[in-house]
């Protein structure tokens, strides 16, 4: 049930998670700022509204699964998992340190709540297809969500998995594309054009929805509508890389650069206001 | 204190210079041109640069086609994606037909650092060494990288070059000669031999200097070519010093240590200690801390030297 109050509280949660992300990136002075901020509204809706999961039981077989196929947005995932109670918030400051359970890219063997290992782009969706097949074989009612980068869609393996998901009629699988139009070397359309995204999924017989990936109500509605009989769904989420802090927005430079002291101060001021 | 240069920076510069003197040189990348340093080439020769996007397999396939069409392609991405994601394209489209493609893989080994084990290639040398027709280079510093890149361009056939992310000490002179298949003696010595590759050669030199203080005379050899390995130099060192310590920023399985053991076992069996990643994946952390954690420092080489001397007959 989506009411005004739920939406407001999710928006407040997302703001607080943005601050957690920037603080942990600042502490490690290493990691991916832009793609964590573009994804966090979507992940907030998943972890704090839509997905069925339980931090007290990270191994609950019936939990919905989340695959962060764009694994470099690990800070966004860790912020969500800590806030949901999978591990103490203090751990966030150990991001990327030697011995930390918070690796540069998600590691299912180290971090409670992480469902698969990702980081090498293009591989997550195939794993999500496997998880969805396993859910169906096991008779589970849980669903599988996979978050993909738009640059990541350039990997051929993505389209092999897109084909397979439609072939098997995986209606328990939902992909969200973080369509922020940027990759590392610049704008997707200039580096290697993979647009229009929605049409490609539609051609593979997917159920396609286009949403504003920073409009919390639209995200929640999209996730609720992401069910079509015998077809997987993709939410093409139009987003802004670095969203929420003007100095990081739409800049390729902040793909893999952590905030400096001054940038963090500015960001926390903006977000805290 | 010697100067510090990242081998990938030396690559970016050398590639631009090659591009100026030979219009057949083309470069390809997979959305990492700022990191692999092919961006410099892209800037000066936009018509001869092809960004495949995040599509390493297609990048290697396109490089094969460019080579078959008479160009000399240099294709770059991180080592883990070059030797990993694009492996079979390298095997079938490049090595099998012996096409003139140069794969220059940056960010090899654990000194990738904070990105963690998913991004730290500890197996690329082993994978590439196992391919027939493949030449495998792993230079130690900036000047040797520039020379290796020039040698790779002049050589007709597939070459895999492994480079690193961080700055490493310069040990070779600016006008360093590089001959594919030849190791070099960096320090004479008769008690044991350190055989290094990549950034571990600098650690071997430091270890030899520290052993010299105790009156132990260690020879130091550097292998900028892992394949074809300089068998004669390895066998000579085995015969003359009777004990060997290998050092590489790579798994102890399948890289320099294995290659040296293969040669020595057949031609001159002597005790060997292999220093490298002990058959484990890496993890996140600062590069230096990781080298320490996994035992890849001059201190660990000194300890390995003591062990191997203890085993010497
Ligand atoms: C197979 C592979 N190739 C290259 C990389 C290096 N890399 C990390 S992030 C990135 C760009 C990702 O762009 P996109 O998918 O659009 O993500 P976002 O914009 O959401 O950060 C690249 C090339 C990688 N992690 N995996
Ligand atoms: Mg993007």
């Amino acid at each position: 049930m989506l009411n005004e109050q739920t939406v407001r509280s999710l928006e407040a949660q997302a703001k607080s998670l943005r601050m957690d992300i920037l603080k942990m990136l600042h502490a490690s002075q290493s990691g991916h700022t832009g793609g964590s901020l573009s994804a966090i509204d979507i992940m907030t809706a998943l972890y704090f509204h839509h997905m069925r999961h339980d931090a007290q039981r990270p191994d609950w077989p019936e939990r919905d699964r989340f695959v962060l196929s764009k694994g470099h947005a690990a800070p966004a995932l860790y912020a969500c998992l800590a806030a949901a109670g999978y591990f103490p918030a203090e751990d966030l400051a150990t991001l990327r340190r030697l011995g930390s359970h918070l690796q540069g890219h998600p590691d299912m063997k180290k971090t409670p709540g992480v469902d698969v290992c990702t980081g090498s782009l293009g591989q997550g969706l195939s794993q999500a297809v496997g998880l969805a097949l396993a859910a169906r074989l096991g008779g589970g009612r849980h669903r599988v969500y996979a978050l993909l980068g738009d640059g990541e869609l350039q990997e051929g393996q993505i389209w092999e998995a897109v084909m397979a998901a439609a072939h098997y009629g995986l209606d328990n699988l939902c992909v969200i594309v973080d369509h922020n139009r940027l990759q590392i070397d610049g704008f997707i359309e200039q580096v290697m054009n993979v647009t229009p995204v929605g049409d490609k999924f539609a051609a593979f017989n997917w159920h396609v929805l286009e949403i504003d990936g920073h409009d919390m109500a639209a995200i929640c509605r999209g996730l609720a509508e992401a069910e079509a009989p015998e077809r997987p769904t993709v939410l093409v989420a139009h987003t802004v890389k670095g969203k929420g802090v003007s100095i990081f927005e739409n800049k390729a430079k902040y793909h893999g650069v952590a905030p400096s002291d001054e940038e963090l101060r500015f960001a926390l001021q903006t977000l805290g206001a | 204190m010697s100067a510090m240069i990242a081998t990938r920076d030396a690559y970016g510069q050398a590639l631009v210079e090659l591009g100026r003197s030979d219009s057949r040189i083309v470069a390809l990348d997979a959305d990492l041109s700022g990191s692999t340093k092919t961006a410099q080439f892209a800037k000066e020769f936009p018509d001869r640069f092809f960004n495949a996007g995040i599509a390493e397999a297609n990048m290697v396939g396109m490089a094969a086609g460019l080579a078959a069409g008479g160009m000399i392609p240099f294709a770059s991405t991180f080592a883990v994606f070059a030797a990993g994601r694009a492996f079979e394209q390298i095997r079938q489209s490049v090595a099998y037909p012996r096409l003139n493609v140069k794969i220059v893989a940056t960010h090899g080994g654990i000194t990738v650092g904070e990105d963690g084990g998913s991004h730290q290639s500890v197996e690329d040398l082993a994978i590439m060494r196992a391919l027939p027709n493949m030449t495998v280079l792993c230079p130690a510093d900036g000047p040797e990288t520039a020379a290796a890149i020039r040698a790779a361009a002049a050589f007709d056939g597939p070459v895999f070059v492994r480079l690193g992310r961080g700055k490493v000490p310069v040990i070779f002179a600016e006008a360093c000669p590089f001959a594919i298949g030849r190791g070099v003696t960096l320090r004479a010595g008769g008690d044991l031999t350190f055989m290094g590759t990549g950034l571990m050669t600098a650690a071997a030199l430091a270890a030899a200097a520290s052993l010299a203080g105790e009156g132990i005379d260690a020879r130091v050899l550097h292998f900028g070519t892992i394949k074809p390995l300089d068998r004669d130099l390895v066998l000579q060192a085995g015969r003359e010093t009777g004990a060997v310590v290998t050092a590489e920023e790579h798994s102890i399985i399948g890289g320099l240590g294995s290659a040296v053991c293969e040669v020595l076992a057949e031609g001159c069996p002597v005790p060997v200690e292999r220093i490298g990643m002990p058959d484990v994946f890496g993890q996140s952390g600062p590069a230096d801390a990781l080298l320490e954690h996994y035992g890849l420092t001059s201190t660990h080489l000194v300890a390995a030297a003591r062990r191997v001397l203890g085993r010497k007959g």
Side-chain angles (χ1 to χ4, degrees), chain A residues 70 72 119 121 149-152 180 182 241 255, chain B residues 31 56 81:
Chain A
K70 44 168 278 186
H72 57 280
L121 293 168
D150 49 3
E152 183 183 14
N180 58 27
L182 276 168
K241 203 154 174 170
H255 169 83
Chain B
D31 196 31
E56 296 77 9
F81 309 130

Side-chain angles (χ1 to χ4, degrees), chain B:
Chain B
M1 265 295 288
S2 54
M4 304 282 286
I5 301 177
T7 52
R8 59 183 170 134
D9 282 318
Y11 165 50
Q13 186 59 36
L15 190 60
V16 168
E17 283 157 19
L18 281 170
R20 287 183 191 140
S21 60
D22 189 338
S23 62
R24 294 171 305 165
I25 303 277
V26 300
L28 299 95
D29 208 294
D31 196 31
L32 288 168
S33 67
S35 296
T36 65
K37 304 299 172 185
T38 61
Q40 288 168 253
F41 185 95
K43 198 163 165 226
E44 187 157 333
F45 308 104
D47 296 343
R48 285 194 268 149
F49 175 74
F50 304 95
N51 198 328
I54 311 168
E56 296 77 9
N58 188 49
M59 172 179 75
V60 168
M62 290 198 294
L66 282 159
M71 300 293 143
I72 306 176
F74 279 72
S76 287
T77 180
F78 292 178
V80 74
F81 309 130
R85 181 66 56 92
F87 169 72
E88 210 215 345
Q89 282 71 22
I90 294 176
R91 183 195 190 274
Q92 308 288 10
S93 300
V94 175
Y96 186 57
R98 205 181 185 285
L99 282 171
N100 197 20
V101 173
K102 320 301 166 184
I103 310 286
V104 183
T106 66
H107 295 64
I110 57 173
T111 51
V112 162
E114 288 82 355
D115 269 352
S118 61
H119 284 55
Q120 295 164 358
S121 177
V122 297
E123 69 284 1
D124 51 314
L125 296 176
I127 294 170
M128 288 297 136
R129 200 168 73 84
L131 281 179
N133 288 342
M134 186 57 83
T135 291
V136 182
L137 310 182
C138 185
D141 71 355
E144 195 193 19
T145 297
I149 293 299
R150 288 191 292 270
F155 175 83
D156 184 19
V159 180
F160 180 87
V161 188
R162 185 212 226 198
L163 304 177
R165 172 182 183 226
K167 291 192 155 107
V168 291
V170 170
I171 56 183
F172 286 100
E174 194 55 54
C176 141
F178 187 91
I180 290 174
R182 293 274 289 280
V184 291
T185 305
L186 293 176
R187 184 184 176 114
D191 294 333
L192 78 148
T193 305
F194 286 118
M195 301 187 181
T197 191
L199 58 72
M200 290 306 289
T201 294
L205 283 168
S210 122
L211 286 169
E214 309 173 20
I216 299 170
D217 233 1
R219 182 177 303 188
V220 178
L221 304 182
H222 168 66
F223 294 91
T225 307
I226 303 288
K227 185 187 168 188
L229 190 66
D230 191 339
R231 297 176 66 92
D232 294 344
L233 196 67
V234 171
L235 289 171
Q236 185 191 6
R239 274 194 306 272
E240 292 175 4
T241 70
V244 170
V245 175
T246 62
E248 62 200 307
E249 188 199 0
H250 183 273
S251 173
I252 55 167
I253 297 175
L256 176 70
S258 291
V260 164
C261 286
E262 289 157 17
V263 168
L264 290 174
E266 286 174 356
C268 175
V270 296
V272 178
E273 294 279 328
R274 289 169 298 153
I275 292 293
M277 288 292 279
D279 194 21
V280 292
F281 287 113
Q283 61 175 309
S284 290
D288 287 344
L290 289 169
L291 289 169
E292 179 70 43
H293 181 79
Y294 290 106
L296 275 69
T297 69
S298 60
T299 315
H300 295 93
L301 288 176
V302 166
R306 294 220 174 84
R307 285 197 302 274
V308 86
L309 286 172
R311 292 168 54 203
K312 199 170 156 179

